[in-house]
Amino acid sequence: MDVVGYAVHGEREKLAPLKFARRDVGAEDVAIAIEWSGVCHSDIHTGRSEWGDVMFPCVPGHEIVGRVTAVGSDVTKFSVGQQVGVGVYVDSCRECEQCRSGMSNYCAKGMIGTYNNPDREGDGYTLGGYANGIVVDHGYVVNVPESLDPAGAAPLLCAGITLYSPLKEWGAGPGKKVGIVGLGGLGHMGVKFAKALGAHVTVFSHSASKKDDALSMGADDFIVTTDETVFETHQKQFDLLINTVSAPIDLNLYLELLGLDGTLVMVGLAPEPYPIKAFSMLAQRRRIAGSMIGPVAQLQEMLDFAAEHNIVSDVEVIKADYINEAWDRVVESDVRYRFVIDASTFATT
Amino acid sequence: MDVVGYAVHGEREKLAPLKFARRDVGAEDVAIAIEWSGVCHSDIHTGRSEWGDVMFPCVPGHEIVGRVTAVGSDVTKFSVGQQVGVGVYVDSCRECEQCRSGMSNYCAKGMIGTYNNPDREGDGYTLGGYANGIVVDHGYVVNVPESLDPAGAAPLLCAGITLYSPLKEWGAGPGKKVGIVGLGGLGHMGVKFAKALGAHVTVFSHSASKKDDALSMGADDFIVTTDETVFETHQKQFDLLINTVSAPIDLNLYLELLGLDGTLVMVGLAPEPYPIKAFSMLAQRRRIAGSMIGPVAQLQEMLDFAAEHNIVSDVEVIKADYINEAWDRVVESDVRYRFVIDASTFATT
């Protein structure tokens, strides 16, 4: 299948159009006409070679919503015309304990990312969602309920699951005090899901200007962190904190906010190590945990939950030729709260 | 009650004898003739002003085993002659959520340590177990089963519970691979308890010379960490690691050893923050947790479990006038594996 998309063609180059072919639709594959493609900060880290080696041309994008155009002979779960989504990974080893227990996002051999990863056959590498079509194994495709705004649904495939998964794992719900640290692409999904799950939700942000947004998304409280006395005032009050800030912040301050057995979840990938004080952990038997997207079954659960509670991302829809500017704005945190590419505009570039 | 013990009388001074009076036995108190008193590394940190302010004279010691000599009018749980123990704390606020839920070691106002803490009345401060007698509220006293060697039982009151509590909390048991990092006063208790709980136990140590000890204590495996390739060889294999090393070590190396949802528990109190890489946490959804001794009820549970499985600490019994030398040897890790003072020798100093 011939498609057109946007790629980084070489180190330090800007994104530019690329015509390329997707693989033929195999027996277990689903061909998808991409309609909406979200812009994730990790696209930028990868495309700008900030996270290591890049295979050029690199087509980023792992927040994909579109419609099925063809299915392989062994595919029964999806049919032509159905609205579907693809997230951060498109394959895994399927043999390790993690894969067999349905946790393929933690595949022991490493999940196969939607872009810039050697593919399973080993004879090529994956090209992502900044394009108007993709072919993906049906085991890594999910249904996107028709009731969801499809552009707003695209960021659910990465930003959404990144927050939903730890909120579920660490028991966000009625009677729990949850803090979302940072109100950006990730954080705003955390506010919406935590609220819908029934938790009391507090946003921690250094931008007082985001207060109205936070409250309108469902936050019960908004704490400006430029005044560090707030960490004293609110100590031992929270059950769960999710840090969505990828810049270095002092996690010891946030640990003090957790009560007995409280957990601080890290979902951002700051390059520098965080200095963690032992005493911040021992007091109140606190925990720090990592969390990395979620398995395919949970991706589906999250989309169904989102449909039930009418949750989508707040998005700014852009055309394909705006991507380079959009990347710059993401780096400057100048987006409320996620860019989504109208994939129909790839064909005209 | 007049007692004699050993105290640090001023900053940078060595320990020297001290005669002092314990409070009168109140309605809820238990008077104890101390027979065995363990030497914990935190005694040294405190006594040498390494952990902040010290109230002089400072009588350290929070691994106490002795016999009841008197009980207050409201005490029904203990009787004269009974063998009992006192651990790291002797009181707490009794009103906070943590105290009310039986987790008084995490008292929101701070537990009242057995020594060097302002006492509950606020008109004095606590003096610890390096003495031949003590008076403690019965709610913070435990029964020490007669079948246990009493000198070897003393370190259970701190070192023992420090390891037993996280092993229980994070599910050490049959089918679980547990690693104990460091084989000292804490670590050797971890090996014994983890083994008795049914887990597969691996000791990580930089001292190859401790291998025989580790295996004789019940370890299934012993890994020398001076060769860093072991962190590659054993990656993603462990369910639970307990770091007992209070010197700075690279926890990121150990995190790589954890499989899906594995937990690294910190029980040592290194003064420097640990640099933790986000990616080490996100991969395999790993967790780091603190743990600080255990509540009184669990202290009793641990002693009963120890009696059932014949677990005590490996101890070197010393006389009171050897304490200063013992402290130096603890700092040099020159003890296998815990010093215990024969409290009958305080009276003759």
Side-chain angles (χ1 to χ4, degrees):
Chain A
M1 162 164 123
D2 291 325
V3 299
V4 57
Y6 257 61
V8 181
H9 292 256
E11 208 164 327
R12 293 174 199 235
E13 289 186 22
K14 287 194 179 294
L15 291 141
L18 176 73
K19 289 185 179 174
F20 60 104
R22 297 290 188 182
R23 69 168 181 252
D24 292 339
V25 179
E28 306 216 319
D29 281 341
V30 176
I32 302 163
I34 299 177
E35 298 184 338
W36 307 99
S37 188
V39 174
C40 174
H41 204 140
S42 57
D43 300 346
I44 303 166
H45 286 301
T46 303
R48 293 186 172 170
S49 303
E50 294 165 2
W51 278 357
D53 290 342
V54 183
M55 288 167 270
F56 296 110
C58 171
V59 177
H62 57 208
E63 294 184 339
I64 297 166
V65 168
R67 290 201 182 265
V68 177
T69 56
V71 296
S73 53
D74 292 351
V75 176
T76 55
K77 214 169 53 166
F78 299 102
S79 51
V80 172
Q82 184 175 350
Q83 182 166 270
V84 294
V86 176
V88 173
Y89 67 115
V90 290
D91 216 328
S92 59
C93 83
R94 311 181 190 192
E95 289 166 358
C96 70
E97 201 181 318
Q98 289 82 332
C99 283
R100 282 185 284 113
S101 68
M103 298 295 285
S104 53
N105 54 318
Y106 296 108
C107 173
K109 294 180 182 169
M111 62 184 184
I112 294 180
T114 303
Y115 60 83
N116 198 48
N117 264 207
D119 61 21
R120 204 167 168 229
E121 296 72 31
D123 56 356
Y125 64 95
T126 54
L127 296 167
Y130 288 10
N132 58 7
I134 194 167
V135 176
V136 179
D137 186 284
H138 72 116
Y140 302 82
V141 177
V142 288
N143 177 62
V144 176
E146 293 286 348
S147 68
L148 288 172
D149 170 66
L156 296 178
L157 279 299
C158 171
I161 189 68
T162 296
L163 274 290
Y164 180 82
S165 187
L167 286 167
K168 288 287 286 188
E169 176 67 13
W170 284 277
K176 298 286 183 182
K177 281 199 75 173
V178 173
I180 304 292
V181 183
L183 191 69
L186 294 174
H188 91 292
M189 298 299 340
V191 174
K192 294 183 182 194
F193 280 121
K195 189 66 188 176
L197 287 164
H200 182 280
V201 185
T202 300
V203 170
F204 293 85
S205 172
H206 60 269
S207 310
S209 64
K210 288 185 175 172
K211 182 173 181 177
D212 289 346
D213 280 6
L215 298 182
S216 75
M217 289 169 191
D220 299 288
D221 205 354
F222 184 88
I223 294 176
V224 183
T225 54
T226 43
D227 170 12
E228 283 199 2
T229 62
V230 298
F231 295 101
E232 283 268 327
T233 323
H234 296 274
Q235 64 176 314
K236 299 197 187 86
Q237 290 185 356
F238 288 84
D239 299 295
L240 177 62
L241 294 170
I242 302 192
N243 176 31
T244 72
V245 177
S246 55
I249 60 173
D250 184 356
L251 294 187
N252 298 294
L253 288 175
Y254 287 93
L255 285 169
E256 297 296 331
L257 301 174
L258 293 170
L260 184 63
D261 293 340
T263 302
L264 170 67
V265 179
M266 292 155 63
V267 296
L269 262 178
E272 304 84 1
Y274 294 91
I276 303 289
K277 293 179 189 163
F279 193 78
S280 309
M281 304 288 302
L282 268 63
Q284 303 302 316
R285 193 161 65 176
R286 296 175 176 124
R287 298 108 195 260
I288 298 181
S291 185
M292 188 173 70
I293 57 166
V296 178
Q298 194 176 45
L299 203 54
Q300 188 62 64
E301 173 192 314
M302 178 271 301
L303 287 164
D304 296 341
F305 181 88
E308 191 184 327
H309 294 271
N310 199 26
I311 292 173
V312 288
S313 174
D314 290 10
V315 300
E316 182 174 334
V317 170
I318 61 171
K319 294 181 180 176
D321 60 10
Y322 189 74
I323 297 180
N324 287 299
E325 198 165 335
W327 275 23
D328 290 340
R329 285 181 53 197
V330 169
V331 172
E332 289 155 15
S333 301
D334 177 24
V335 52
R336 293 193 177 183
Y337 282 89
R338 204 76 163 173
F339 288 115
V340 172
I341 308 163
D342 175 350
S344 71
T345 62
F346 286 116
T348 57
T349 57
Chain B
M1 160 165 121
D2 291 325
V3 299
V4 56
Y6 257 61
V8 180
H9 292 257
E11 208 165 327
R12 293 172 198 237
E13 289 187 22
K14 287 192 177 294
L15 292 141
L18 177 73
K19 290 185 178 173
F20 60 104
R22 299 290 189 182
R23 70 169 181 251
D24 293 337
V25 178
E28 306 217 319
D29 282 339
V30 176
I32 302 163
I34 299 177
E35 297 184 338
W36 305 99
S37 187
V39 175
C40 174
H41 205 140
S42 57
D43 300 346
I44 303 167
H45 286 301
T46 303
R48 292 184 173 170
S49 303
E50 294 165 4
W51 278 356
D53 290 341
V54 182
M55 289 167 269
F56 296 110
C58 170
V59 177
H62 57 207
E63 295 183 339
I64 297 166
V65 169
R67 291 200 180 265
V68 176
T69 56
V71 296
S73 53
D74 293 348
V75 176
T76 55
K77 212 169 55 165
F78 299 102
S79 52
V80 172
Q82 184 175 351
Q83 182 166 269
V84 293
V86 176
V88 173
Y89 67 115
V90 291
D91 217 327
S92 60
C93 84
R94 310 181 190 193
E95 290 166 357
C96 70
E97 202 180 318
Q98 289 84 330
C99 283
R100 281 184 286 114
S101 66
M103 299 295 286
S104 53
N105 54 318
Y106 297 108
C107 172
K109 294 181 182 168
M111 60 184 186
I112 295 180
T114 303
Y115 59 83
N116 199 47
N117 262 207
D119 61 22
R120 202 164 170 233
E121 295 72 32
D123 56 356
Y125 65 95
T126 54
L127 297 166
Y130 288 10
N132 58 6
I134 193 167
V135 175
V136 179
D137 185 284
H138 72 116
Y140 302 82
V141 176
V142 287
N143 178 62
V144 176
E146 293 286 347
S147 68
L148 289 171
D149 169 67
L156 297 177
L157 279 300
C158 171
I161 189 69
T162 295
L163 275 290
Y164 180 83
S165 187
L167 286 166
K168 289 286 285 187
E169 176 67 13
W170 284 278
K176 298 287 183 184
K177 280 199 74 172
V178 173
I180 304 293
V181 183
L183 190 70
L186 295 174
H188 90 294
M189 298 300 340
V191 174
K192 295 183 183 195
F193 279 121
K195 189 67 188 174
L197 288 163
H200 182 280
V201 185
T202 300
V203 170
F204 293 86
S205 172
H206 61 269
S207 309
S209 65
K210 287 184 174 172
K211 182 174 181 176
D212 290 346
D213 280 7
L215 299 182
S216 75
M217 288 169 191
D220 299 287
D221 204 355
F222 184 88
I223 293 177
V224 183
T225 54
T226 43
D227 171 12
E228 282 199 3
T229 63
V230 299
F231 295 102
E232 284 268 327
T233 323
H234 297 274
Q235 63 177 315
K236 300 196 188 87
Q237 291 185 355
F238 288 83
D239 299 295
L240 177 62
L241 294 169
I242 302 191
N243 177 31
T244 71
V245 177
S246 55
I249 60 173
D250 184 355
L251 293 187
N252 298 293
L253 288 174
Y254 287 93
L255 285 168
E256 297 297 330
L257 301 174
L258 293 171
L260 184 62
D261 293 338
T263 301
L264 170 66
V265 179
M266 293 155 64
V267 297
L269 261 178
E272 305 84 2
Y274 294 91
I276 303 290
K277 294 178 189 163
F279 193 77
S280 310
M281 305 288 303
L282 266 64
Q284 302 303 315
R285 192 162 66 176
R286 296 174 176 126
R287 298 109 197 258
I288 298 180
S291 184
M292 187 173 70
I293 57 167
V296 178
Q298 194 176 43
L299 203 56
Q300 188 62 65
E301 173 193 315
M302 179 270 302
L303 287 165
D304 295 341
F305 181 88
E308 192 185 327
H309 295 271
N310 199 26
I311 292 172
V312 289
S313 173
D314 290 10
V315 301
E316 182 174 335
V317 170
I318 62 171
K319 293 181 180 174
D321 60 9
Y322 188 75
I323 296 179
N324 287 298
E325 200 166 334
W327 275 23
D328 289 340
R329 285 182 53 198
V330 168
V331 172
E332 290 155 15
S333 300
D334 178 24
V335 53
R336 292 194 177 182
Y337 282 89
R338 204 78 164 175
F339 288 113
V340 172
I341 308 162
D342 174 352
S344 72
T345 62
F346 285 116
T348 59
T349 57

